[in-house]
């Protein structure tokens, strides 16, 4: 009988160990485990679900340079309820591309491309111009966004050459580098319609003429990418003022920024205009 005690003790340790294993579906990564890119992304997405701000900021490299206040603002607007990785592609050993379908508290369902790269021997979620402007950004189901009244327009608008009838916001940017995405300083809301007007006063870049181009997009900043309402690529220099229609994917969209993506690296861009309805 005494010989049975060691065997029973070993069996009890094994059984108790089974109960301490992470439950099915959990993406928790132990300290001793070397995570795959997919497991790492799932662990990050779980941090987003639980609004673990510190973990989120420590595991992402985002060219949008979101601040803590930006994250808190997103948290107040959106809460990720569930997610599914609907596409995965290995670019190379240290670079993987995923598309994540996320469902949010508001009822919004959207797909967002995400890159996972190994930087300084650690996996990181990477948000850059490639993911932000990818056609894989899709709104599958519009949430219950409530329209927010347009803000008061600055008197500086009166100095612009173009004066749209109903201005939502205006911009005036210079010395922006090509190939680097940037955003409007102010937010706005889309009214109950499916298109807006880009009233561009000026657009150009040093060293370029006909080849200059900027993609304008109406977006909401999210935890690992932008939710895109609509976008428009405007090619060539604009010197006398032109209007362009930007078609949207829903009738309402709150907390939006206008996103600018100049096409060619190396040039210095400038753009002035307003968003009109």
């Amino acid at each position: 009988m005494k010989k049975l005690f060691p065997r029973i003790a070993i069996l009890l340790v094994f059984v108790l160990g089974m109960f301490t294993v992470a439950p099915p579906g959990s993406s928790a990564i132990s300290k001793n485990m070397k995570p795959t890119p997919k497991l790492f992304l799932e662990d990050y997405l779980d941090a987003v679900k639980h609004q673990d701000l510190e973990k989120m900021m420590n595991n992402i490299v985002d060219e949008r340079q979101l601040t803590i206040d930006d994250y808190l603002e997103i948290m107040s607007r959106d809460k990720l309820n569930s997610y599914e990785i609907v596409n995965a592609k290995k670019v190379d050993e240290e670079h993987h591309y995923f598309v994540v379908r996320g469902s949010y508290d508001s009822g919004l369902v959207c797909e967002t491309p995400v890159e996972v790269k190994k930087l300084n021997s650690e996996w990181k979620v990477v948000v850059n111009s490639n993911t932000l402007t990818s056609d894989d950004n899709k709104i599958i189901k519009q949430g219950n966004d409530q329209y927010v009244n347009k803000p008061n327009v600055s008197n500086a608008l009166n100095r612009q050459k173009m004066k749209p009838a109903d201005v939502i916001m205006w911009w005036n940017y210079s010395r922006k580098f090509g190939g680097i995405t940037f955003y409007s300083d102010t937010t706005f809301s889309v009214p109950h319609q499916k298109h807006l007007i880009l009233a561009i006063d000026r657009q150009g870049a040093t060293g370029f003429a006909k080849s200059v181009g900027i993609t304008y997009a109406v977006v909401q900043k999210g935890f690992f990418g932008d939710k895109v309402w609509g976008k428009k690529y405007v090619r060539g220099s604009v010197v006398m003022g032109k209007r362009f229609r930007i078609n949207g994917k829903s009738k309402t969209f709150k907390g939006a920024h206008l996103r600018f993506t100049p096409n060619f690296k190396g040039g210095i861009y400038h753009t002035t205009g307003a968003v009109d309805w």
Side-chain angles (χ1 to χ4, degrees), residues 14-206:
F14 175 74
V15 172
L16 289 172
M18 290 180 64
F19 286 100
T20 61
V21 174
S26 170
S27 60
I29 300 174
S30 69
K31 293 181 179 179
N32 297 324
M33 183 188 301
K34 291 185 178 180
T36 64
K38 184 173 182 290
L39 281 175
F40 171 80
L41 176 58
E42 289 175 341
D43 197 50
Y44 177 83
L45 293 170
D46 282 342
V48 174
K49 279 182 62 176
H50 297 106
Q51 299 192 336
D52 185 339
L53 183 58
E54 182 179 2
K55 189 171 185 178
M56 290 159 57
M57 296 190 72
N58 287 339
N59 288 286
I60 191 169
V61 176
D62 192 337
E63 76 171 28
R64 299 175 299 170
Q65 299 180 344
L66 297 184
T67 64
I68 291 178
D69 287 340
D70 291 327
Y71 275 103
L72 292 174
E73 192 276 328
I74 294 171
M75 285 179 178
S76 70
R77 184 185 69 236
D78 277 334
K79 185 179 187 304
L80 182 65
N81 282 336
S82 62
Y83 65 84
E84 177 187 3
I85 296 176
V86 296
N87 192 12
K89 180 173 68 176
K90 177 181 176 181
V91 180
D92 57 46
E93 291 297 331
E94 298 186 346
H95 182 192
H96 293 251
Y97 180 91
F98 300 92
V99 177
V100 177
R101 178 174 293 180
S103 299
Y104 296 83
D105 260 356
S106 66
L108 174 71
V109 179
C110 62
E111 293 183 358
T112 309
V114 181
E115 290 187 355
V116 174
K117 292 184 178 181
K118 185 167 281 189
L119 304 173
N120 297 323
S121 301
E122 292 185 348
W123 291 112
K124 297 287 184 182
V125 170
V126 176
V127 179
N128 54 32
S129 294
N130 292 332
T131 59
L132 293 172
T133 60
S134 170
D135 289 337
D136 288 332
N137 285 289
K138 299 175 183 177
I139 293 180
I140 307 300
K141 180 182 177 183
Q142 178 65 32
N144 297 322
D145 282 342
Q146 296 297 315
Y147 171 60
V148 180
N149 290 331
K150 63 182 180 181
N152 292 328
V153 179
S154 168
N155 289 331
L157 176 65
N158 295 327
R159 297 196 296 269
Q160 303 299 321
K161 293 179 182 178
M162 299 190 67
K163 297 178 180 178
D166 293 298
V167 173
I168 301 176
M169 59 82 66
W170 69 279
W171 74 87
N172 186 353
Y173 297 109
S174 61
R175 300 195 60 77
K176 295 294 184 180
F177 291 97
I180 298 178
T181 296
F182 63 99
Y183 297 78
S184 61
D185 297 324
T186 58
T187 59
F188 59 94
S189 295
V190 177
H192 294 274
Q193 60 188 66
K194 285 201 169 186
H195 75 272
L196 294 173
I197 300 297
L198 291 174
I200 299 177
D201 183 20
R202 292 189 307 121
Q203 172 178 292
T206 59

Side-chain angles (χ1 to χ4, degrees), residues 239-255:
V239 293
M240 297 298 291
K242 292 183 179 179
R243 287 174 175 248
F244 302 88
R245 181 166 171 160
I246 180 168
N247 294 315
K249 299 176 181 178
S250 62
K251 290 185 177 181
T252 60
F253 203 64
K254 66 179 180 179

Side-chain angles (χ1 to χ4, degrees), residues 4-20:
L4 291 176
F5 283 110
R7 295 181 182 178
I8 293 173
I10 292 172
L11 180 61
L12 285 172
V13 170
F14 175 74
V15 172
L16 289 172
M18 290 180 64
F19 286 100
T20 61

Side-chain angles (χ1 to χ4, degrees), residues 213-272:
I214 297 177
T215 299
Y216 299 84
V218 176
V219 304
Q220 284 178 348
K221 292 181 180 179
F223 295 114
F224 45 91
D226 293 339
K227 303 175 185 69
V228 181
W229 178 81
K231 61 184 178 180
K232 176 68 176 179
Y233 177 67
V234 178
R235 180 182 179 184
S237 295
V238 177
V239 293
M240 297 298 291
K242 292 183 179 179
R243 287 174 175 248
F244 302 88
R245 181 166 171 160
I246 180 168
N247 294 315
K249 299 176 181 178
S250 62
K251 290 185 177 181
T252 60
F253 203 64
K254 66 179 180 179
H257 286 266
L258 188 62
R259 187 181 72 196
F260 308 79
T261 306
N263 54 354
F264 290 112
K265 295 181 179 179
I268 306 296
Y269 285 70
H270 61 265
T271 175
T272 304

